[in-house]
Amino acid sequence: MTPTDPAEPSTVASAPPPRRFLRSQDDRVLGGVAGGLGRAFGVDAIIFRITLAVLVFAGGVGLLAYVAALLIVSSDDGTGQPAPRVVTWRTAAVWVALLIGAGLGFWGSAWATAAGGGVLVAFVVLALGAALVVAAFRGDKRARWLAVPALVLAFPAGFVSAADISLDGGLGERTHHPTGRDRLPTGYRLGAGELVVDLRDLDWRDDRRVVLDLDVGMGHAVVYVPEAVCVGVRSDIGAGHADVLGRDAAGVDVEHDATREPPAGAPGLTLDVRMGMGAFEVLHRPRDGGREFGANGDFDDHGERESADRREVRRVADRACSQDRS
Amino acid sequence: MSRRPDLPALVAGLALLALGALLLLDRVDALELRFGVLTPALLAVCGAILLATGLDNRNREDERER
């Protein structure tokens, strides 16, 4: 029997037609996108809901995909067929306004929390939660939508709180180049931006140890030190990367205690670093050719790409803290 | 006859109250919010809302079939 034999019973003809991806009318949280995907692929919609929720945090890909599906994919009419699309200018304008409002709410909440208005944001989230509970007992299903603005406000506020980002110290680029101990403050502070503290020309002949606090909300902080100075660091970084003379730590909630005692008669520096989000570095000199932080995989302490330069920096830093400084 | 509360709205409301309380406590320095706490808390809030919505949809389908 050949494939074209008309006597052969056809199995293809009896196969069910492929299910079309339409936004679900019955299984929906917002626009029925995940419900429609679940039905089209024959799996539980919760899988797509979780995937989309996770992708929202991947640079907003989930949100873009959801809005695109909302605009492009038709809704079903309850029988598995696409319902006629009725998109008016008014509907489109409402969606655009909602998206702009969500963006403003998101960044406004982040800014307000970083600027010291976190209590207000928390109260708004609490008020929306309380309104939802009251509406739930009244049976008002339209109130479910209140969860969306509450989450739009709560997510960035939570992120800023966890990272401990504060704009108290101002914004911008600050460079400090102290030369005398009498002019050296107890610490430096910056809300957001780049902070450079160059201690290479400080008078280190006095063997008294220098203790310096650095408080940066968000951005990049660099401290330059002479090779002969024994450097110890206590750092608390909400999210980011610390690279202290060839030794690094990265991730979220990075608490790193690398305090070191300088040998008798040797100069010592102890840095107390508190950073919300960003990168913190202690270097002997600016990177060659102005190389950017983290380029070429140079901060991988254990990787094969670790450069000889970094090993040398660590060796010099260790020698500054050892009794045998020859 | 007592009316049954709307499950998704109730769960979302309670979850947001918990989240708001967490944010408020951090802002008044009663606790220190870290990513290790915040991330599971946010995912739990989203998960609870999705679960409640899914259960509600299933209940509605069951009622419609009956």
Side-chain angles (χ1 to χ4, degrees), chain A residues 303-324:
Chain A
E304 293 175 0
R305 290 182 295 179
E306 181 180 69
S307 68
D309 288 352
R310 283 177 65 74
R311 282 195 294 272
E312 175 62 14
V313 168
R314 283 204 298 274
R315 194 186 64 76
V316 171
D318 289 343
R319 192 179 61 198
C321 295
S322 69
Q323 293 294 336
D324 179 18

PDB file of all heavy atoms in Angstrom, chain A residues 303-324:
ATOM      1  N   GLY A 303      37.875  31.753  37.877  1.00  0.00           N
ATOM      2  CA  GLY A 303      37.803  31.341  36.482  1.00  0.00           C
ATOM      3  C   GLY A 303      39.153  31.250  35.820  1.00  0.00           C
ATOM      4  O   GLY A 303      40.160  31.765  36.318  1.00  0.00           O
ATOM      5  N   GLU A 304      39.153  30.613  34.651  1.00  0.00           N
ATOM      6  CA  GLU A 304      40.399  30.435  33.926  1.00  0.00           C
ATOM      7  C   GLU A 304      40.892  31.747  33.328  1.00  0.00           C
ATOM      8  O   GLU A 304      42.058  31.900  33.008  1.00  0.00           O
ATOM      9  CB  GLU A 304      40.185  29.412  32.813  1.00  0.00           C
ATOM     10  CG  GLU A 304      39.920  28.015  33.358  1.00  0.00           C
ATOM     11  CD  GLU A 304      39.592  27.039  32.257  1.00  0.00           C
ATOM     12  OE1 GLU A 304      39.580  27.446  31.090  1.00  0.00           O
ATOM     13  OE2 GLU A 304      39.341  25.876  32.579  1.00  0.00           O
ATOM     14  N   ARG A 305      39.949  32.705  33.155  1.00  0.00           N
ATOM     15  CA  ARG A 305      40.326  33.949  32.486  1.00  0.00           C
ATOM     16  C   ARG A 305      40.977  34.938  33.441  1.00  0.00           C
ATOM     17  O   ARG A 305      41.334  36.041  33.054  1.00  0.00           O
ATOM     18  CB  ARG A 305      39.090  34.589  31.874  1.00  0.00           C
ATOM     19  CG  ARG A 305      38.565  33.826  30.698  1.00  0.00           C
ATOM     20  CD  ARG A 305      37.385  34.517  30.102  1.00  0.00           C
ATOM     21  NE  ARG A 305      36.266  34.557  31.016  1.00  0.00           N
ATOM     22  CZ  ARG A 305      35.115  35.132  30.743  1.00  0.00           C
ATOM     23  NH1 ARG A 305      34.957  35.726  29.599  1.00  0.00           N
ATOM     24  NH2 ARG A 305      34.141  35.120  31.614  1.00  0.00           N
ATOM     25  N   GLU A 306      41.099  34.562  34.705  1.00  0.00           N
ATOM     26  CA  GLU A 306      41.672  35.505  35.667  1.00  0.00           C
ATOM     27  C   GLU A 306      43.062  35.941  35.200  1.00  0.00           C
ATOM     28  O   GLU A 306      43.895  35.158  34.824  1.00  0.00           O
ATOM     29  CB  GLU A 306      41.773  34.832  37.021  1.00  0.00           C
ATOM     30  CG  GLU A 306      42.338  35.760  38.058  1.00  0.00           C
ATOM     31  CD  GLU A 306      42.435  35.061  39.393  1.00  0.00           C
ATOM     32  OE1 GLU A 306      43.262  34.152  39.507  1.00  0.00           O
ATOM     33  OE2 GLU A 306      41.701  35.439  40.289  1.00  0.00           O
ATOM     34  N   SER A 307      43.281  37.217  35.216  1.00  0.00           N
ATOM     35  CA  SER A 307      44.521  37.714  34.646  1.00  0.00           C
ATOM     36  C   SER A 307      45.651  37.682  35.669  1.00  0.00           C
ATOM     37  O   SER A 307      45.423  37.664  36.883  1.00  0.00           O
ATOM     38  CB  SER A 307      44.318  39.146  34.156  1.00  0.00           C
ATOM     39  OG  SER A 307      44.117  39.972  35.278  1.00  0.00           O
ATOM     40  N   ALA A 308      46.855  37.678  35.143  1.00  0.00           N
ATOM     41  CA  ALA A 308      48.036  37.708  36.015  1.00  0.00           C
ATOM     42  C   ALA A 308      48.083  39.021  36.790  1.00  0.00           C
ATOM     43  O   ALA A 308      48.598  39.080  37.909  1.00  0.00           O
ATOM     44  CB  ALA A 308      49.292  37.542  35.171  1.00  0.00           C
ATOM     45  N   ASP A 309      47.513  40.075  36.183  1.00  0.00           N
ATOM     46  CA  ASP A 309      47.495  41.382  36.851  1.00  0.00           C
ATOM     47  C   ASP A 309      46.790  41.299  38.198  1.00  0.00           C
ATOM     48  O   ASP A 309      47.241  41.865  39.187  1.00  0.00           O
ATOM     49  CB  ASP A 309      46.750  42.408  35.982  1.00  0.00           C
ATOM     50  CG  ASP A 309      47.573  42.776  34.762  1.00  0.00           C
ATOM     51  OD1 ASP A 309      48.743  42.348  34.722  1.00  0.00           O
ATOM     52  OD2 ASP A 309      47.051  43.469  33.876  1.00  0.00           O
ATOM     53  N   ARG A 310      45.663  40.611  38.200  1.00  0.00           N
ATOM     54  CA  ARG A 310      44.877  40.530  39.441  1.00  0.00           C
ATOM     55  C   ARG A 310      45.599  39.722  40.507  1.00  0.00           C
ATOM     56  O   ARG A 310      45.555  40.033  41.691  1.00  0.00           O
ATOM     57  CB  ARG A 310      43.498  39.927  39.165  1.00  0.00           C
ATOM     58  CG  ARG A 310      42.548  40.931  38.519  1.00  0.00           C
ATOM     59  CD  ARG A 310      41.225  40.304  38.188  1.00  0.00           C
ATOM     60  NE  ARG A 310      40.477  39.889  39.363  1.00  0.00           N
ATOM     61  CZ  ARG A 310      39.848  40.709  40.190  1.00  0.00           C
ATOM     62  NH1 ARG A 310      39.900  42.003  39.985  1.00  0.00           N
ATOM     63  NH2 ARG A 310      39.169  40.258  41.216  1.00  0.00           N
ATOM     64  N   ARG A 311      46.269  38.685  40.072  1.00  0.00           N
ATOM     65  CA  ARG A 311      47.056  37.895  41.035  1.00  0.00           C
ATOM     66  C   ARG A 311      48.159  38.755  41.641  1.00  0.00           C
ATOM     67  O   ARG A 311      48.443  38.695  42.829  1.00  0.00           O
ATOM     68  CB  ARG A 311      47.639  36.650  40.352  1.00  0.00           C
ATOM     69  CG  ARG A 311      46.630  35.538  40.173  1.00  0.00           C
ATOM     70  CD  ARG A 311      47.314  34.222  39.843  1.00  0.00           C
ATOM     71  NE  ARG A 311      47.985  34.265  38.540  1.00  0.00           N
ATOM     72  CZ  ARG A 311      47.366  33.967  37.404  1.00  0.00           C
ATOM     73  NH1 ARG A 311      46.095  33.630  37.397  1.00  0.00           N
ATOM     74  NH2 ARG A 311      48.014  34.019  36.260  1.00  0.00           N
ATOM     75  N   GLU A 312      48.766  39.584  40.793  1.00  0.00           N
ATOM     76  CA  GLU A 312      49.834  40.455  41.258  1.00  0.00           C
ATOM     77  C   GLU A 312      49.288  41.505  42.237  1.00  0.00           C
ATOM     78  O   GLU A 312      49.918  41.805  43.265  1.00  0.00           O
ATOM     79  CB  GLU A 312      50.509  41.138  40.048  1.00  0.00           C
ATOM     80  CG  GLU A 312      51.570  42.166  40.396  1.00  0.00           C
ATOM     81  CD  GLU A 312      52.764  41.575  41.162  1.00  0.00           C
ATOM     82  OE1 GLU A 312      52.900  40.332  41.199  1.00  0.00           O
ATOM     83  OE2 GLU A 312      53.541  42.366  41.756  1.00  0.00           O
ATOM     84  N   VAL A 313      48.100  42.053  41.932  1.00  0.00           N
ATOM     85  CA  VAL A 313      47.476  43.049  42.824  1.00  0.00           C
ATOM     86  C   VAL A 313      47.216  42.412  44.190  1.00  0.00           C
ATOM     87  O   VAL A 313      47.477  43.021  45.238  1.00  0.00           O
ATOM     88  CB  VAL A 313      46.156  43.577  42.201  1.00  0.00           C
ATOM     89  CG1 VAL A 313      45.355  44.373  43.217  1.00  0.00           C
ATOM     90  CG2 VAL A 313      46.452  44.454  40.997  1.00  0.00           C
ATOM     91  N   ARG A 314      46.736  41.190  44.193  1.00  0.00           N
ATOM     92  CA  ARG A 314      46.459  40.499  45.475  1.00  0.00           C
ATOM     93  C   ARG A 314      47.753  40.262  46.247  1.00  0.00           C
ATOM     94  O   ARG A 314      47.801  40.413  47.466  1.00  0.00           O
ATOM     95  CB  ARG A 314      45.750  39.162  45.215  1.00  0.00           C
ATOM     96  CG  ARG A 314      44.278  39.306  44.888  1.00  0.00           C
ATOM     97  CD  ARG A 314      43.525  38.033  45.226  1.00  0.00           C
ATOM     98  NE  ARG A 314      43.988  36.892  44.457  1.00  0.00           N
ATOM     99  CZ  ARG A 314      43.534  36.588  43.259  1.00  0.00           C
ATOM    100  NH1 ARG A 314      42.617  37.331  42.697  1.00  0.00           N
ATOM    101  NH2 ARG A 314      43.990  35.537  42.608  1.00  0.00           N
ATOM    102  N   ARG A 315      48.803  39.897  45.513  1.00  0.00           N
ATOM    103  CA  ARG A 315      50.085  39.622  46.168  1.00  0.00           C
ATOM    104  C   ARG A 315      50.617  40.900  46.817  1.00  0.00           C
ATOM    105  O   ARG A 315      51.076  40.885  47.973  1.00  0.00           O
ATOM    106  CB  ARG A 315      51.096  39.084  45.127  1.00  0.00           C
ATOM    107  CG  ARG A 315      52.340  38.462  45.719  1.00  0.00           C
ATOM    108  CD  ARG A 315      53.338  38.089  44.637  1.00  0.00           C
ATOM    109  NE  ARG A 315      53.834  39.259  43.909  1.00  0.00           N
ATOM    110  CZ  ARG A 315      54.727  40.133  44.374  1.00  0.00           C
ATOM    111  NH1 ARG A 315      55.244  39.949  45.586  1.00  0.00           N
ATOM    112  NH2 ARG A 315      55.113  41.167  43.656  1.00  0.00           N
ATOM    113  N   VAL A 316      50.527  42.014  46.104  1.00  0.00           N
ATOM    114  CA  VAL A 316      51.004  43.297  46.642  1.00  0.00           C
ATOM    115  C   VAL A 316      50.164  43.694  47.859  1.00  0.00           C
ATOM    116  O   VAL A 316      50.695  44.159  48.877  1.00  0.00           O
ATOM    117  CB  VAL A 316      50.936  44.387  45.540  1.00  0.00           C
ATOM    118  CG1 VAL A 316      51.205  45.765  46.126  1.00  0.00           C
ATOM    119  CG2 VAL A 316      51.934  44.087  44.433  1.00  0.00           C
ATOM    120  N   ALA A 317      48.836  43.507  47.758  1.00  0.00           N
ATOM    121  CA  ALA A 317      47.945  43.868  48.875  1.00  0.00           C
ATOM    122  C   ALA A 317      48.239  43.014  50.102  1.00  0.00           C
ATOM    123  O   ALA A 317      48.245  43.514  51.236  1.00  0.00           O
ATOM    124  CB  ALA A 317      46.495  43.701  48.444  1.00  0.00           C
ATOM    125  N   ASP A 318      48.502  41.736  49.892  1.00  0.00           N
ATOM    126  CA  ASP A 318      48.807  40.843  51.024  1.00  0.00           C
ATOM    127  C   ASP A 318      50.149  41.222  51.662  1.00  0.00           C
ATOM    128  O   ASP A 318      50.302  41.166  52.881  1.00  0.00           O
ATOM    129  CB  ASP A 318      48.860  39.380  50.548  1.00  0.00           C
ATOM    130  CG  ASP A 318      47.490  38.861  50.188  1.00  0.00           C
ATOM    131  OD1 ASP A 318      46.493  39.502  50.600  1.00  0.00           O
ATOM    132  OD2 ASP A 318      47.406  37.833  49.486  1.00  0.00           O
ATOM    133  N   ARG A 319      51.106  41.606  50.825  1.00  0.00           N
ATOM    134  CA  ARG A 319      52.434  41.967  51.338  1.00  0.00           C
ATOM    135  C   ARG A 319      52.339  43.215  52.233  1.00  0.00           C
ATOM    136  O   ARG A 319      53.029  43.315  53.250  1.00  0.00           O
ATOM    137  CB  ARG A 319      53.387  42.224  50.166  1.00  0.00           C
ATOM    138  CG  ARG A 319      54.858  42.317  50.610  1.00  0.00           C
ATOM    139  CD  ARG A 319      55.755  42.543  49.436  1.00  0.00           C
ATOM    140  NE  ARG A 319      55.425  43.787  48.758  1.00  0.00           N
ATOM    141  CZ  ARG A 319      55.798  44.086  47.510  1.00  0.00           C
ATOM    142  NH1 ARG A 319      56.493  43.229  46.804  1.00  0.00           N
ATOM    143  NH2 ARG A 319      55.471  45.242  46.959  1.00  0.00           N
ATOM    144  N   ALA A 320      51.423  44.164  51.861  1.00  0.00           N
ATOM    145  CA  ALA A 320      51.283  45.394  52.654  1.00  0.00           C
ATOM    146  C   ALA A 320      50.764  45.086  54.057  1.00  0.00           C
ATOM    147  O   ALA A 320      50.974  45.864  54.986  1.00  0.00           O
ATOM    148  CB  ALA A 320      50.334  46.365  51.952  1.00  0.00           C
ATOM    149  N   CYS A 321      50.066  43.961  54.213  1.00  0.00           N
ATOM    150  CA  CYS A 321      49.495  43.616  55.522  1.00  0.00           C
ATOM    151  C   CYS A 321      50.324  42.574  56.270  1.00  0.00           C
ATOM    152  O   CYS A 321      49.934  42.143  57.364  1.00  0.00           O
ATOM    153  CB  CYS A 321      48.073  43.083  55.352  1.00  0.00           C
ATOM    154  SG  CYS A 321      46.922  44.303  54.717  1.00  0.00           S
ATOM    155  N   SER A 322      51.430  42.120  55.683  1.00  0.00           N
ATOM    156  CA  SER A 322      52.207  41.079  56.346  1.00  0.00           C
ATOM    157  C   SER A 322      53.371  41.709  57.144  1.00  0.00           C
ATOM    158  O   SER A 322      53.771  42.849  56.870  1.00  0.00           O
ATOM    159  CB  SER A 322      52.751  40.083  55.314  1.00  0.00           C
ATOM    160  OG  SER A 322      53.734  40.719  54.532  1.00  0.00           O
ATOM    161  N   GLN A 323      53.878  40.952  58.103  1.00  0.00           N
ATOM    162  CA  GLN A 323      54.997  41.430  58.903  1.00  0.00           C
ATOM    163  C   GLN A 323      56.234  41.578  58.028  1.00  0.00           C
ATOM    164  O   GLN A 323      57.008  42.542  58.194  1.00  0.00           O
ATOM    165  CB  GLN A 323      55.304  40.427  60.043  1.00  0.00           C
ATOM    166  CG  GLN A 323      54.197  40.332  61.090  1.00  0.00           C
ATOM    167  CD  GLN A 323      54.022  41.616  61.865  1.00  0.00           C
ATOM    168  OE1 GLN A 323      54.936  42.420  61.972  1.00  0.00           O
ATOM    169  NE2 GLN A 323      52.834  41.831  62.413  1.00  0.00           N
ATOM    170  N   ASP A 324      56.394  40.651  57.100  1.00  0.00           N
ATOM    171  CA  ASP A 324      57.542  40.698  56.203  1.00  0.00           C
ATOM    172  C   ASP A 324      57.176  41.553  54.986  1.00  0.00           C
ATOM    173  O   ASP A 324      56.531  41.094  54.054  1.00  0.00           O
ATOM    174  CB  ASP A 324      57.924  39.271  55.756  1.00  0.00           C
ATOM    175  CG  ASP A 324      59.100  39.298  54.804  1.00  0.00           C
ATOM    176  OD1 ASP A 324      59.810  40.326  54.754  1.00  0.00           O
ATOM    177  OD2 ASP A 324      59.313  38.279  54.118  1.00  0.00           O
TER     178      ASP A 324
END
